[in-house]
Amino acid sequence: LGNWKEFTYQVSINNRMLDFLNNDQNTNTNPNENFAREILELFTIGKGEQAGIGDYTNYTEKDVEEAAKVLSGWRSTKNNRGLYTTGPENGNLPRGYAVPNKHYFGRKEFSHRFSNYVIEEWDTTNKTEEEKVARIESELREFITLVLDQSETAKYVCRKLYRFFVSRKITLEIENDIISPLATIFRVNYNLEETITTLLKSKHFYD
């Protein structure tokens, strides 16, 4: 019920997610787009209506490719599970780790669906392994911020909450009067508890 942005980051480096959606096989020389596709399609912004070949209104195939580059270089912790954890603020859960020589540090340019946003190339010359790992982690956080800053992402998450707690039927009126205001609240600080509390205390919920 905390911060959805941090939750999305922690899910992305979770051991089971790295295994299940093959991101521990995603490298700079052999990209695997499975998790990159799923984080866009299922976990954050959603596809939207097909707008053209490889264009799904909310993102494009190019965005999947660029996201895969951002997500490259992560590995799941098969052994020594206590070595890499989420930290005390996130329960000290085992998590994956970044391998710099498997990560793509080059330029990533997203499509017009993300206003052609660019994560610039990063020169690794004379950088320590710690600096490289920090860069990989910051790129992932930058990507997540980019996706969550899109207004459709908050709406997509709020529709999921509505379908779970209220009804699977979302009319145009509900979209305008319930989903959009909820999404506005959610985007302030991505706090799930505040968003869910607003929904469950609403007159609409009791009606």
Side-chain angles (χ1 to χ4, degrees):
L1 292 175
N3 186 289
W4 178 264
K5 183 181 288 189
E6 181 64 25
F7 182 65
T8 304
Y9 175 81
Q10 295 298 337
V11 165
S12 299
I13 63 174
N14 180 271
N15 278 314
R16 297 284 67 80
M17 187 64 78
L18 288 167
D19 283 341
F20 183 61
L21 290 179
N22 313 117
N23 204 52
D24 61 345
Q25 301 170 21
N26 180 15
T27 71
N28 48 5
T29 58
N30 188 29
N32 186 305
E33 299 175 358
N34 197 16
F35 182 65
R37 187 175 303 279
E38 300 292 36
I39 196 172
L40 290 170
E41 181 176 346
L42 298 181
F43 305 149
T44 57
I45 196 168
K47 288 179 75 171
E49 296 295 326
Q50 183 91 16
I53 298 175
D55 186 346
Y56 313 111
T57 300
N58 295 334
Y59 65 89
T60 70
E61 283 296 316
K62 175 178 173 59
D63 296 316
V64 174
E65 295 170 5
E66 299 305 290
K69 295 175 184 176
V70 173
L71 291 160
S72 63
W74 286 92
R75 291 292 176 271
S76 57
T77 311
K78 299 293 195 299
N79 300 302
N80 299 319
R81 289 183 176 272
L83 185 61
Y84 302 99
T85 71
T86 59
E89 68 277 11
N90 290 300
N92 282 320
L93 298 173
R95 68 167 180 85
Y97 60 98
V99 180
N101 66 2
K102 299 294 184 182
H103 179 73
Y104 181 80
F105 286 101
R107 176 185 172 95
K108 295 97 171 168
E109 182 175 354
F110 293 86
S111 76
H112 64 291
R113 296 302 185 186
F114 292 95
S115 302
N116 303 113
Y117 186 88
V118 173
I119 296 178
E120 295 291 354
E121 181 178 4
W122 192 72
D123 186 2
T124 60
T125 306
N126 298 323
K127 300 296 196 304
T128 66
E129 288 298 290
E130 290 77 13
E131 289 174 318
K132 293 174 185 177
V133 168
R135 173 66 183 186
I136 296 171
E137 293 176 348
S138 70
E139 282 189 11
L140 177 53
R141 289 189 180 277
E142 186 175 353
F143 166 67
I144 290 171
T145 296
L146 171 65
V147 178
L148 266 63
D149 278 351
Q150 309 304 307
S151 60
E152 185 56 35
T153 301
K155 292 179 183 178
Y156 185 74
V157 174
C158 287
R159 289 187 200 107
K160 283 179 173 285
L161 295 174
Y162 186 90
R163 291 187 180 105
F164 184 82
F165 287 109
V166 186
S167 170
R168 294 190 61 82
K169 184 178 180 181
I170 298 178
T171 64
L172 181 60
E173 182 180 14
I174 291 171
E175 178 74 22
N176 293 333
D177 295 346
I178 307 297
I179 302 301
S180 290
L182 269 183
T184 299
I185 293 171
F186 184 48
R187 286 187 73 194
V188 172
N189 56 13
Y190 304 103
N191 184 275
L192 274 177
E193 182 174 10
E194 183 178 354
T195 307
I196 293 172
T197 298
T198 300
L199 175 62
L200 298 187
K201 286 186 173 182
S202 68
K203 182 176 184 297
H204 177 81
F205 176 76
Y206 285 95
D207 287 346

